[in-house]
Amino acid sequence: MKRYVATLILSLIVLGVCKKGGKKLTREECRHPTGKIGQTAVCQPLKIVGNGYWKVVPECDPVVSGLNWGEFNKFNSDDITFQAFNVVKDQNDSRTGTVANYWLANDDTIAPVGRFFYDIGCSKIIHKFVIKNTHNAYYNDRGTAKFSISVRNAQTERWKYVVHNTLQDVRHNPNPPLEEFLVSAKNPIRFVRFMIESFYGTGGGLQFFAPI
């Protein structure tokens, strides 16, 4: 009997339904469906089963790349220091030798070369973009001014522009602010394209970028 119950629980977890012995699990219980700390999951209501049940859905695992999907930023003077994937973490500019935590485009570069692609990892409705500009650490000599953001849900779709705006000039600001840009979301998207339209100083870049 114990083996049967264990098998049933395991099957429900594999199917993505947080349900044990007919008990409706709370959202927090769903986040640890195995009962082990660290084995978390994103939980969403499972209305098919009934209100109060939750299902486990995979975490969106973002990927950020340069000119083409899966490529490094070849437009960064072949310099791997300022890769686009640096923008996924909200930090303040830091650079030690060839290690930096922000993205830079080439000097005096705007779109279509000054850009990056952000694959959210799954389709979701986005309500805003949270962005922090860069100042190139202790050099304080650059940053993105005007920019545009376009989105699509499949790589075969045409890009749709959703944001045209300007970031603050944060040169000589050791604690640049997070800036939010709201969008009217009706349909889920997966792919995001960020393009530099103009810049401060000698070129553009970003410290942090997140579709939320």
Side-chain angles (χ1 to χ4, degrees):
M1 181 64 181
K2 291 183 179 180
R3 180 178 299 177
Y4 171 78
V5 173
T7 302
L8 176 60
I9 293 174
L10 179 60
S11 298
L12 290 170
I13 291 173
V14 171
L15 289 173
V17 181
C18 278
K19 172 183 175 183
K20 294 181 182 178
K23 177 186 177 183
K24 297 180 180 181
L25 299 187
T26 65
R27 185 183 182 89
E28 184 58 30
E29 289 173 324
C30 178
R31 291 188 63 82
H32 303 278
T34 63
K36 295 181 179 180
I37 301 299
Q39 296 188 4
T40 61
V42 175
C43 305
Q44 294 181 353
L46 186 62
K47 296 181 180 179
I48 297 177
V49 175
N51 292 332
Y53 288 94
W54 296 83
K55 67 177 179 178
V56 181
V57 295
E59 287 273 10
C60 292
D61 188 14
V63 176
V64 187
S65 59
L67 291 176
N68 297 296
W69 298 111
E71 287 189 345
F72 287 112
N73 280 349
K74 292 184 176 180
F75 51 86
N76 284 342
S77 300
D78 296 322
D79 188 346
I80 64 172
T81 302
F82 307 107
Q83 295 302 309
F85 55 70
N86 287 336
V87 302
V88 300
K89 293 183 178 181
D90 177 15
Q91 305 174 76
N92 286 331
D93 281 7
S94 175
R95 178 181 178 185
T96 304
T98 58
V99 179
N101 65 356
Y102 50 95
W103 166 66
L104 294 182
N106 258 357
D107 291 351
D108 303 315
T109 299
I110 59 174
V113 179
R115 65 181 179 181
F116 66 75
F117 298 97
Y118 192 113
D119 178 356
I120 297 173
C122 62
S123 296
K124 61 187 298 185
I125 293 179
I126 299 301
H127 300 285
K128 63 183 177 181
F129 292 93
V130 180
I131 305 175
K132 180 185 289 186
N133 209 351
T134 182
H135 51 86
N136 193 21
Y138 45 81
Y139 286 99
N140 291 298
D141 62 353
R142 66 184 69 208
T144 296
K146 293 182 180 180
F147 68 95
S148 65
I149 298 175
S150 49
V151 300
R152 63 187 183 188
N153 194 44
Q155 294 195 42
T156 55
E157 296 177 357
R158 295 177 63 88
W159 290 104
K160 177 183 178 181
Y161 286 91
V162 292
V163 177
H164 285 91
N165 217 310
T166 303
L167 290 171
Q168 296 181 31
D169 183 357
V170 299
R171 289 174 294 174
H172 303 286
N173 183 349
N175 296 295
L178 288 170
E179 301 182 58
E180 296 187 356
F181 302 90
L182 302 179
V183 294
S184 299
K186 295 182 179 179
N187 301 308
I189 59 99
R190 174 171 175 173
F191 303 107
V192 181
R193 181 178 62 180
F194 180 90
M195 303 181 75
I196 299 172
E197 307 294 347
S198 67
F199 49 84
Y200 302 110
T202 58
L206 285 184
Q207 163 55 233
F208 176 67
F209 180 89
I212 298 176

